[in-house]
Amino acid sequence: MNNLSKSALVALILAPVASAQTARDQVRLDDVNFSNTADGFDISLQGDGMLRVAMWVDERDAVNTFDDAIWCAISTDRGLSWGPEISVYDDSVNAVDIDDARLAVSNGVIYITFDDDRVSSTAPTTVLMRSDDLGASWTQTVLGNDFNNAEIFVDGDNVLILSYDDSVSTNILNGQWSSDQGLSFNGPVPISVGDVDTDGWTGLVDGDTAYALWFDDGTVSGDNDLYISSSVAGGPWSGPVRVDQDGTGLGDVDVFPKLAMGGGKLYAAYVEDGRNGGTTGQDEVYFCVSNDGGATWTETMISPVGQDADYMNLAALGDT
């Protein structure tokens, strides 16, 4: 190989490295002129194609500490450069407290869900903010009153929103489905039924199929079990299928479960305590796989007995 060829080869090798280093440079997204504090539980980064959207909730009104605002910043070059921050929702005059802001991006549409206390602090209102022009304008849709903790999942033009009905003591999980990029929804439709006391949940959209994964303690407090249901094209939700394999009646599924899909398989991860005689300080992480769309599951414990595991996460791509 001559020297020119060697130089060209070195340049080709180094070019991606230099590009990667540029992409890792730290960039401040919010306005440096404000001494605001971003809420660490309501920060998200999502992308689709070249589009990246960063969202956060912060408090900028010195009058009170319960007057939140939702902001976002947008990149159209995979995060290499960012535009100025954009005000998504700010009702500072009415001092609305915002909770549980969630972000999703698909087909160029930006979706942000949250709940606030516009009606009262004990009857939250679930809201969707939607933009199809890169944040230049936003449409607000009220999804439910006395609903909270909305989670949003998208695939193409299909949108699933899962939220918690706080108006009844049985704490029912509800699903709302849209096939037109969130312009209209059916529901809310109850997914969990009976005295289930639904707690943590998550979901997933694959084409026109929606999945909801949640745990509840039924009529027995301290014995949370994990269930999954599915719905096709906004149709009826299937009866719940038990995911965790605890036969002792001692296991208590805890912390928000995770759900992923890859290679035609469904994967679930969750934390449980008490199954092996441990205490609430000895949580174990379990991993489940389904090859038949959630009808049956195979479970593996992936953390040692007696140790305290928390805050697991899960991702899947293909067979990995």
Side-chain angles (χ1 to χ4, degrees), residues 205-275:
V205 178
D206 177 46
D208 64 353
T209 302
Y211 298 92
L213 179 75
W214 77 94
F215 64 83
D216 66 57
D217 59 13
T219 58
V220 182
S221 179
D223 180 23
N224 282 317
D225 301 317
L226 193 65
Y227 297 92
I228 192 168
S229 290
S230 61
S231 171
V232 178
W237 286 86
S238 65
V241 172
R242 177 86 175 266
V243 175
D244 71 294
Q245 308 295 302
D246 174 33
T248 67
L250 301 173
D252 188 20
V253 178
D254 197 6
V255 184
F256 287 89
K258 304 295 182 181
L259 183 66
M261 174 176 280
K265 300 177 182 179
L266 282 172
Y267 303 99
Y270 50 96
V271 169
E272 187 173 26
D273 62 54
R275 186 191 297 194

Side-chain angles (χ1 to χ4, degrees), residues 195-209:
D195 186 13
V196 294
D197 193 18
T198 305
D199 290 314
W201 59 86
T202 189
L204 188 150
V205 178
D206 177 46
D208 64 353
T209 302

Side-chain angles (χ1 to χ4, degrees), residues 70-310:
I70 299 177
W71 300 81
C72 78
I74 292 176
S75 169
T76 56
D77 56 9
R78 297 183 183 175
L80 292 176
S81 62
W82 293 85
E85 65 176 9
I86 298 170
S87 176
V88 177
Y89 181 81
D90 184 2
D91 202 1
S92 57
V93 175
N94 294 324
V96 171
D97 184 29
I98 293 171
D99 289 310
D100 305 305
R102 300 291 184 265
L103 168 69
V105 180
S106 181
N107 282 355
V109 181
I110 305 169
Y111 308 88
I112 297 176
T113 57
F114 61 94
D115 59 75
D116 65 27
D117 62 1
R118 65 182 66 188
V119 176
S120 77
S121 59
T122 58
T125 299
T126 300
V127 181
L128 168 68
M129 302 297 293
R130 177 189 181 279
S131 175
D132 56 13
D133 55 10
L134 298 182
S137 61
W138 295 85
T139 301
Q140 181 182 159
T141 302
V142 173
L143 298 169
N145 291 311
D146 217 358
F147 279 54
N148 58 9
N149 293 97
E151 299 277 353
I152 183 167
F153 311 91
V154 297
D155 184 21
D157 294 340
N158 296 321
V159 182
L160 169 68
I161 295 177
L162 300 175
S163 54
Y164 178 103
D165 185 351
D166 203 32
S167 66
V168 292
S169 61
T170 50
N171 299 327
I172 300 300
L173 180 65
N174 286 269
Q176 291 170 272
W177 175 261
S178 170
S179 57
D180 58 7
Q181 298 186 331
L183 294 173
S184 62
F185 286 88
N186 75 332
V189 177
I191 300 174
S192 58
V193 294
D195 186 13
V196 294
D197 193 18
T198 305
D199 290 314
W201 59 86
T202 189
L204 188 150
V205 178
D206 177 46
D208 64 353
T209 302
Y211 298 92
L213 179 75
W214 77 94
F215 64 83
D216 66 57
D217 59 13
T219 58
V220 182
S221 179
D223 180 23
N224 282 317
D225 301 317
L226 193 65
Y227 297 92
I228 192 168
S229 290
S230 61
S231 171
V232 178
W237 286 86
S238 65
V241 172
R242 177 86 175 266
V243 175
D244 71 294
Q245 308 295 302
D246 174 33
T248 67
L250 301 173
D252 188 20
V253 178
D254 197 6
V255 184
F256 287 89
K258 304 295 182 181
L259 183 66
M261 174 176 280
K265 300 177 182 179
L266 282 172
Y267 303 99
Y270 50 96
V271 169
E272 187 173 26
D273 62 54
R275 186 191 297 194
N276 294 294
T279 66
T280 55
Q282 295 179 346
D283 294 340
E284 298 153 356
V285 177
Y286 291 86
F287 173 70
C288 277
V289 180
S290 174
N291 296 307
D292 52 14
T296 59
W297 293 83
T298 301
E299 181 187 70
T300 304
M301 187 175 74
I302 60 174
S303 66
V305 175
Q307 294 189 8
D308 186 23
D310 275 317

